[in-house]
Amino acid sequence: MVSKIFSLLQFFTHFTITFASTEEATALLKWKSTLKNQIYFSSSLSFTITFASTEEATALLKWKANFKNQNNFVPFLEYLNLSMNNLSSTIPPEIGNLTNLVYLDLKINQISGTIPSQIGSLVKLQILCTFDNHLNGPIPGEIGYLRSLTKLSLGRNFLNGSIPASLGNLNNFVLGILINLNYLELYNNQLSGPIPSVLGNLKNLNELVLLNNNLPGPILSVLGNLINLNYLELYNNQLSVPIPSVLGNLKNLNELVLLNNNLYGPIPNMLGNLINLNYLGLNNNQLSGPIPSVLENLKNLNELVLFNNNLSGPIPSELGNLKNLNGLLLHNNQLSGPLPSELGNLKNLNDILNHLLLHYNQLSGPISSELGNLKNFNHLELFDNQLSGPIPSELGNLKNLNDLLLSNNQLIGSIPSSIGNLRNLQYLFLGDNNLTEESPSSFNLTSLKFLHLLRNNLKGKILQCLGNISGLQYVMMSHNNLNGELPSSICNLTSLQVLDLGRNNLIGAIPQCFGNMSGHLEVLDMQHNNLSGTLPTTFCIGSALGSFNLHGNKLEGKIPRSLENCKRVEVLDLGDNLLNDTFPVWLGTLPELRVLSLRLNKLHGPIRTLGSERMYPVLRLLDLSSNAFTGNLPTIFFQHFRAMRKIYPSKKRRSDERYGYYYENSIAVVTKGLELEVVRILCLYTTIDLSNNKFEGHIPSIIGGLIALRALNLSHNGLGGHIPRSLESLSSVGSLDLSGNHLVGEIPAQFISLTALEALSLYYIHLKGCIPQGNQFHTFENNSYEGNDGLRGFPLSKGCGNDGHDSASEETYTGSELDEESNYEFLNDFWKATLLGYGTGLCIVLSIIYIS
Ligand SMILES: *[C@@H]1O[C@H](CO)[C@@H](O)[C@H](O)[C@H]1NC(C)=O
Ligand SMILES: *[C@@H]1O[C@H](CO)[C@@H](O)[C@H](O)[C@H]1NC(C)=O
Ligand SMILES: *[C@@H]1O[C@H](CO)[C@@H](O)[C@H](O)[C@H]1NC(C)=O
Ligand SMILES: *[C@@H]1O[C@H](CO)[C@@H](O)[C@H](O)[C@H]1NC(C)=O
Ligand SMILES: *[C@@H]1O[C@H](CO)[C@@H](O)[C@H](O)[C@H]1NC(C)=O
Ligand SMILES: *[C@@H]1O[C@H](CO)[C@@H](O)[C@H](O)[C@H]1NC(C)=O
Ligand SMILES: *[C@@H]1O[C@H](CO)[C@@H](O)[C@H](O)[C@H]1NC(C)=O
Ligand SMILES: *[C@@H]1O[C@H](CO)[C@@H](O)[C@H](O)[C@H]1NC(C)=O
Ligand SMILES: *[C@@H]1O[C@H](CO)[C@@H](O)[C@H](O)[C@H]1NC(C)=O
Ligand SMILES: *[C@@H]1O[C@H](CO)[C@@H](O)[C@H](O)[C@H]1NC(C)=O
Ligand SMILES: *[C@@H]1O[C@H](CO)[C@@H](O)[C@H](O)[C@H]1NC(C)=O
Ligand SMILES: CC(=O)N[C@H]1CO[C@H](CO)[C@@H](O)[C@@H]1O
């Protein structure tokens, strides 16, 4: 074996080398033969041999070895560095034969398998590094024999099991010198089990990095003994204990990072002793109580990161003394009280504070104008608090501001015109306040991408200022008092994806060029304004439009055929306008159309459709009510509605975790003459409303196949004949309204199986016979049946022989089970509202994700 290596090396290197022992040679050779790629044997010493192996002809093997005894050419392998070689072998147990190794560096390879216990034989080892490989299994307890170890780095593997207590032995006297582990790094593994208390023996430890494991608590207070620690990183574990005060002993600590655990209880005042701390990261725990004002002692602190906890009380004004602070991240707590103006002091020395994140708290009082001093601010995020007063115009001094997020507070007054000069601003969120005044007359916000001004009382001509902001992607300004006409300069915004101007007082015609924007625009919502004229006819081929809502305007004329180009449209709501047209047959060809409302217009003539299989493939909500449609309800029309024949499981909505702002399609409900807007609701609501038209003929029994229907309203037409028995299959139907027709015959007895039914309206038709008894039929009152003189039975006074409560069936009534995460109360109202004629429902939710 020795001679084989010898000749190999000789052939390629012209060096003559013998190994001290066959074991050493075998160990090396055996391992080498498993290595698939080029490897480097390196050392701190200067001797390099390069050779290629015969088996893997192209692979290159570099070997730097340290020869203690160069005269004899005896390799006394002390330094083995195979790092960054893409090795995919395992570590052979023969590694234990290299008993002179001082360091073994295998980092950044693809080495798999377990760490062999034989590694415990390498008693001279000072550095063991297997960082970033695919090792699995436990950390061998034999590592505790490596008394010379100063650095143990096993991070980024798949090691599991618990941390061996034997690691606590890694402090020892060697030749009268205290050799002690000073670097212990086990992060990004799958270690579980408690942190052994003996780690408290490792008094010379500088870095303890155990993050990203599954370590449970407790963080033993013994860690307070590790007074030489510079870095203590235990984040991303499952530590569920209070933070021990003794951590305040670790005066040399530069970084204390305990984020993403289940730590609870207060932040100990003792942490104020950690005067060398640069970074304190305690976010994503369940810490409670106040932020200790003694943290002002941490004069070297760059980042104070306490977000996502349950901290309460005020923000200590003393934090204004942290002159080296770069970021203060306290968001998503229960902090209250004012925003300390002292934070404005943070400019005085280094002027480096560049992010202040205090959103999702309960801060109140004004935004101090002193914040305008912090010239390097990039991120100022104060949304979701109770801040009041005006937006200080001094914020216009923050020339480097990237995002200014002040939405959902109680701010009043105008948007200061100085804000219009923030040329680096990309995100301006001022929505959900009470900003009332005129908006600035010019917006020089040349970098702006996202403008969120929803739900204020803004007046004025802000829209006229947007035409030059070529990067604008989202304009969300619904629920304001914007007036004037839609400027055609908006059409120059070729990056625009969402234009939400609903519920304002916009007047005039929609510029034709708006149709051309459909190439990039995904949401165009101008519902509930006072727009007049005709719809644009220029919707282009390749339209990106997903949601198009012009509900509640005064638009007239025809429904433009160019809408046929909007192949991605999911929601089309043209309800409550003055459109005068026949039924747009071609809308059925839109492959993504889920919601179609044309209610309350002047549409007329019969409903027609095409024989094609591909009509209305995903339609879930159809509202044609309050028009002047005539003729029969064609069976073939209902045959198309495939999506209504299947009950879909509920889906979780996407929502933006960081900001919680998204464009949501909204649903308008008219109940008792009061129009409510309800958002965040009913993604999968399936309804048909054909009420208040002039339909005649029979109710097609095919409707009974649309089993996903939640509401069916055919009221106030001229429909005759019997109620089809097939309707008993509508097991999800909560609201059924057939009133105001000319129906005859009886209520099908099978209707008692409609257990989801909460609202039934059959008044003023011409039914007779007995009202079915049992289940939810007990809950309907007289007025469900009013005007049907021939009906008998509970709740009517005319008896039907065996009426009254049937207690047996009442017991079996379990009520309706709804699969959606939704507002049940609303559902109730909704069903009631459908009896009175409701608005339209929309069911897609488009999240707008902020990516910083
Ligand atoms: C091993 O070699 C790599 C690359 O040459 C080097 O970065 C690393 O510091 C070496 N390891 C040790 C323990 O010296
Ligand atoms: C690492 O080795 C794998 C096969 O083991 C190979 O697919 C990959 O390309 C190699 N990567 C590099 C950077 O050489
Ligand atoms: C460690 O992982 C291995 C697979 O890699 C598994 O067989 C073993 O059960 C795991 N042990 C523990 C303690 O999780
Ligand atoms: C948060 O703290 C408040 C008191 O400040 C307490 O009532 C509440 O239960 C805490 N919540 C959690 C999740 O710990
Ligand atoms: C908005 O401000 C006006 C006065 O400017 C006030 O009358 C109104 O109550 C405020 N609305 C809210 C919701 O705070
Ligand atoms: C916008 O910039 C122009 C010059 O580029 C300037 O004249 C105007 O005053 C600025 N508008 C505001 C509101 O500052
Ligand atoms: C847009 O920019 C041009 C020139 O840059 C300027 O003349 C015009 O007033 C600007 N329009 C608005 C609305 O700011
Ligand atoms: C759109 O931009 C062009 C130049 O890019 C300009 O000439 C035109 O006036 C702008 N249109 C509107 C309506 O502002
Ligand atoms: C809009 O598109 C139509 C064709 O679809 C084109 O004729 C017209 O010039 C476009 N208008 C604008 C303002 O781009
Ligand atoms: C709508 O606009 C018309 C003029 O186009 C105006 O007479 C009417 O008062 C406006 N209605 C509302 C509610 O603003
Ligand atoms: C619809 O338009 C036609 C002309 O195209 C007109 O005769 C009719 O009166 C209009 N209907 C309504 C209800 O306005
Ligand atoms: C001399 C010596 O320690 N040899 C060992 C080399 O490694 C193998 C595998 O662990 C052992 O079996 C030998 O005893």
Side-chain angles (χ1 to χ4, degrees), residues 357-379:
L357 276 52
L358 304 178
H359 51 277
Y360 293 129
N361 278 294
Q362 288 144 28
L363 302 171
S364 55
I367 299 177
S368 54
S369 54
E370 281 84 353
L371 292 183
N373 297 337
L374 302 165
K375 298 280 191 303
N376 282 319
F377 247 144
N378 293 140
H379 307 280

Side-chain angles (χ1 to χ4, degrees), residues 535-791:
L535 286 163
T537 55
T538 47
F539 296 97
C540 54
I541 292 171
S543 164
L545 217 49
S547 178
F548 184 47
N549 194 334
L550 291 174
H551 191 104
N553 282 286
K554 297 202 171 66
L555 299 165
E556 45 191 29
K558 292 183 186 303
I559 300 172
R561 185 77 190 243
S562 66
L563 269 174
E564 219 179 348
N565 293 328
C566 299
K567 295 291 186 213
R568 290 158 70 182
V569 80
E570 294 184 20
V571 173
L572 178 60
D573 188 347
L574 303 177
D576 199 0
N577 277 290
L578 304 169
L579 300 171
N580 177 352
D581 201 351
T582 54
F583 184 72
V585 177
W586 44 268
L587 281 181
T589 62
L590 295 175
E592 306 285 338
L593 191 64
R594 285 163 215 280
V595 171
L596 173 61
S597 172
L598 303 174
R599 79 185 299 264
L600 202 48
N601 276 291
K602 296 176 178 172
L603 304 174
H604 50 83
I607 288 186
R608 288 171 297 122
T609 182
L610 304 175
S612 159
E613 281 281 293
R614 306 232 123 267
M615 299 287 278
Y616 305 105
V618 295
L619 193 70
R620 303 295 301 272
L621 189 153
L622 174 68
D623 189 347
L624 304 178
S625 65
S626 302
N627 279 288
F629 289 117
T630 52
N632 292 337
L633 296 175
T635 293
I636 181 175
F637 186 60
F638 297 97
Q639 240 164 16
H640 293 312
F641 301 150
R642 268 180 284 156
M644 300 192 194
R645 273 187 233 130
K646 214 170 141 187
I647 296 175
Y648 294 85
S650 64
K651 270 189 212 149
K652 273 271 174 250
R653 279 197 324 222
R654 286 190 297 150
S655 72
D656 169 11
E657 296 205 331
R658 186 162 178 202
Y659 292 113
Y661 289 113
Y662 30 76
Y663 172 84
E664 277 175 299
N665 284 294
S666 62
I667 189 168
V669 180
V670 183
T671 175
K672 301 191 179 91
L674 203 66
E675 192 171 285
L676 305 173
E677 188 194 19
V678 182
V679 291
R680 305 174 181 225
I681 197 103
L682 300 181
C683 265
L684 295 171
Y685 204 77
T686 306
T687 72
I688 292 180
D689 190 348
L690 305 178
S691 63
N692 289 301
N693 280 287
K694 297 174 185 162
F695 291 116
E696 303 159 344
H698 297 261
I699 299 175
S701 57
I702 191 168
I703 291 182
L706 307 178
I707 57 170
L709 277 181
R710 293 294 180 79
L712 174 63
N713 190 348
L714 303 177
S715 68
H716 302 286
N717 279 291
L719 297 168
H722 292 264
I723 299 177
R725 283 186 160 199
S726 64
L727 297 192
E728 79 188 47
S729 309
L730 299 178
S731 57
S732 304
V733 84
S735 167
L736 176 62
D737 190 351
L738 306 176
S739 59
N741 282 296
H742 309 302
L743 301 173
V744 295
E746 304 192 351
I747 302 173
Q750 293 84 349
F751 271 27
I752 60 165
S753 62
L754 298 180
T755 50
L757 201 56
E758 298 203 351
L760 175 70
S761 183
L762 298 172
Y763 60 97
Y764 292 106
I765 45 185
H766 301 286
L767 302 174
K768 57 184 199 279
C770 293
I771 295 171
Q773 297 298 319
N775 289 355
Q776 76 297 341
F777 269 76
H778 287 308
T779 64
F780 303 140
E781 295 177 9
N782 289 13
N783 58 7
S784 286
Y785 310 107
E786 205 174 309
N788 291 279
D789 293 339
L791 281 179

Side-chain angles (χ1 to χ4, degrees), residues 212-228:
N212 277 335
N213 279 291
N214 303 316
L215 299 169
I219 300 185
L220 290 160
S221 356
V222 290
L223 295 187
N225 298 340
L226 306 179
I227 51 168
N228 288 307

Side-chain angles (χ1 to χ4, degrees), residues 328 343 353-358 371 377 379-382:
L328 180 58
L343 294 182
L353 190 66
N354 74 27
H355 44 291
L356 179 59
L357 276 52
L358 304 178
L371 292 183
F377 247 144
H379 307 280
L380 180 55
E381 307 191 357
L382 306 176

Side-chain angles (χ1 to χ4, degrees), residues 417 420-421 423 442 444:
S417 54
N421 288 328
R423 290 170 179 277
S442 72
N444 286 348

